């Protein structure tokens, strides 16, 4: 495992065992732990002794980081492509020998067979994790100049370690976005928000985790999402049914996972509505709709590439981020 990472990153990896006596009782015996130092950054590598679900590993990661006070990555022996995809989806750092190295707190996301001679340099993560993306959107909307990791954690409603990982990812995606003030890292968003959006957009993902077509309107005050949210801000014509957005907590509260039929089981006359379950808490936006940038990102490529939709999206971006094409060159 260590030799593979050294080969991929072209650097020496220092390692030593971790004393697990200080861990919560339920975590002892679940992982073998080592403390690694790469590029002068310490972190723990947890090798599962069983085969926990990715969702369980995410909870264990948070608990381990609190106990060890350093970032945690997982060692994945014989990992399947599906498991690697799920780890990337939820932003869990990992090393999969002969497959991939994903260490966002180092700014590293490397695939086997695609390593360049300058791989020693920190490499941008391909996509931001949900919390890093939410922080990026908040920086695009508001005046976040000088916001520290501690304050970002409060704004996101997450642990400081999670906010720190989000800073790591943003620094890897767009280095000028993070500045050092004394011993603190702070956000330093580009004053030209349109230019910042253009640099970050390739690293941003659709916020939609899954969709449900419902034959009824849910008994909940859900904001408009997707194309319906964009139609509220533009001259676009909405579908005959509304697209709504729900958090994963609302999904569970509404029983959608058990009772709703997922997309693909269309009704002859069309659904009463489509509910999109989003990966992160939507950034607050005026009116009863998700924020415009999340709405734009939720559209599939074929819709975004439609000339009329693309034109309205450009107009919305100018409204939200300021300026026009000429002023942002």
């Amino acid at each position: 495992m260590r030799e593979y990472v050294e080969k991929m990153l072209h650097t020496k990896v220092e390692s030593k065992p971790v004393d697990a006596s200080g861990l919560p009782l339920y975590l002892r015996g679940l992982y073998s732990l080592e403390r690694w130092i790469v590029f002068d950054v310490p972190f723990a590598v947890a090798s599962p002794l069983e085969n926990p679900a990715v969702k369980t590993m995410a909870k264990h990661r948070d608990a381990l980081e609190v106990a060890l006070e350093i970032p945690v990555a997982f060692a994945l022996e014989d990992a399947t492509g599906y498991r690697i995809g799920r780890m990337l989806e939820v932003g869990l750092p990992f090393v999969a020998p002969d497959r991939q190295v994903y260490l966002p707190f180092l700014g590293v996301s490397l695939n086997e067979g695609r390593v360049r001679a300058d791989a020693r340099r920190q490499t941008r993560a391909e996509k931001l994790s949900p919390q890093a993306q939410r922080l990026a959107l908040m920086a695009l909307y508001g005046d976040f100049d000088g916001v520290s990791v501690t304050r970002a954690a409060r704004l996101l409603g997450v642990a400081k370690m999670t906010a720190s990982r989000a800073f790591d990812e943003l620094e890897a995606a767009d280095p000028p976005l993070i500045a050092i003030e004394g011993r603190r890292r702070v956000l330093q968003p580009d004053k030209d928000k349109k230019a910042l959006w253009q640099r970050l957009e390739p690293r941003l993902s659709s916020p939609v985790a899954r969709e449900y077509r419902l034959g009824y309107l849910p008994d909940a005050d859900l904001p408009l999402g997707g194309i319906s949210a964009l139609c509220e801000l533009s001259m676009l014509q909405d579908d005959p049914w509304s697209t709504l957005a729900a958090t994963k907590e609302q999904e569970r509260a509404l029983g959608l996972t058990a009772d709703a039929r997922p997309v693909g089981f269309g009704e002859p006359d069309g659904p009463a509505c489509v509910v999109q379950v989003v990966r992160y808490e939507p950034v607050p936006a005026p009116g009863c709709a998700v924020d415009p940038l999340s709405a734009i990102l939720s559209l599939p490529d074929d819709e975004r590439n439609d000339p009329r939709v693309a034109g309205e999206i450009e107009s919305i971006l100018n409204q939200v981020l300021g300026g026009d094409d000429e002023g942002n060159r």
Side-chain angles (χ1 to χ4, degrees), residues 70-128:
I70 53 176
V72 172
F74 292 96
L76 302 181
E77 297 284 357
D78 303 320
T80 64
Y82 173 79
R83 192 171 188 82
I84 288 175
R86 289 284 293 123
M87 297 285 285
L88 291 170
E89 182 179 315
V90 300
L92 282 182
F94 66 87
V95 176
D98 302 321
R99 297 288 296 276
Q100 189 166 352
V101 175
Y102 177 60
L103 302 173
F105 46 82
L106 297 179
V108 172
S109 178
L110 301 174
N111 291 318
E112 180 70 17
R114 294 169 53 192
V115 186
R116 303 187 309 274
D118 61 349
R120 181 185 176 91
R121 300 177 186 174
Q122 292 189 350
T123 306
R124 295 181 178 182
E126 292 184 1
K127 295 292 182 180
L128 297 180

Side-chain angles (χ1 to χ4, degrees), residues 134-149 151-156 167 170 177-178 181 185-191 193 196 283-284:
R134 184 166 181 251
L135 183 58
L137 295 183
M138 294 170 75
L140 283 163
Y141 285 121
D143 183 9
F144 270 46
D145 197 8
V147 169
S148 65
V149 172
R151 188 178 170 202
R154 290 198 298 267
L155 292 169
L156 292 171
F167 269 61
L170 292 180
L177 185 54
I178 306 297
E181 289 187 355
R185 289 190 300 168
V186 298
L187 288 173
Q188 193 175 56
D190 194 326
K191 299 300 182 184
K193 297 296 180 65
L196 179 58
V283 178

Side-chain angles (χ1 to χ4, degrees), residues 2-120:
R2 182 167 55 84
E3 291 79 6
Y4 171 69
V5 173
E6 289 179 333
K7 182 186 77 170
M8 289 287 283
L9 302 186
H10 296 270
T11 191
K12 181 70 175 176
V13 176
E14 299 178 31
S15 67
K16 63 179 181 179
V18 172
D19 181 7
S21 61
L23 296 179
L25 289 175
Y26 74 94
L27 285 176
R28 298 179 194 177
L30 295 180
Y31 300 92
S32 62
L33 296 167
E34 289 187 341
R35 178 187 173 94
W36 287 14
I37 298 178
V38 180
F39 299 133
D40 296 322
V41 176
F43 61 97
V45 176
S47 301
L49 301 181
E50 297 180 356
N51 191 31
V54 171
K55 181 181 288 189
T56 300
M57 293 172 71
K59 295 178 181 178
H60 290 172
R61 186 272 308 273
D62 292 341
L64 287 168
E65 289 185 341
V66 169
L68 300 174
E69 298 183 335
I70 53 176
V72 172
F74 292 96
L76 302 181
E77 297 284 357
D78 303 320
T80 64
Y82 173 79
R83 192 171 188 82
I84 288 175
R86 289 284 293 123
M87 297 285 285
L88 291 170
E89 182 179 315
V90 300
L92 282 182
F94 66 87
V95 176
D98 302 321
R99 297 288 296 276
Q100 189 166 352
V101 175
Y102 177 60
L103 302 173
F105 46 82
L106 297 179
V108 172
S109 178
L110 301 174
N111 291 318
E112 180 70 17
R114 294 169 53 192
V115 186
R116 303 187 309 274
D118 61 349
R120 181 185 176 91

Side-chain angles (χ1 to χ4, degrees), residues 212-236:
Y212 295 99
R213 297 174 71 95
L214 304 183
Y216 60 90
L217 293 176
D219 185 18
D221 187 18
L222 301 180
L224 295 175
I227 189 65
S228 293
L230 288 182
C231 289
E232 287 289 295
L233 300 169
S234 68
M235 300 297 291
L236 293 173

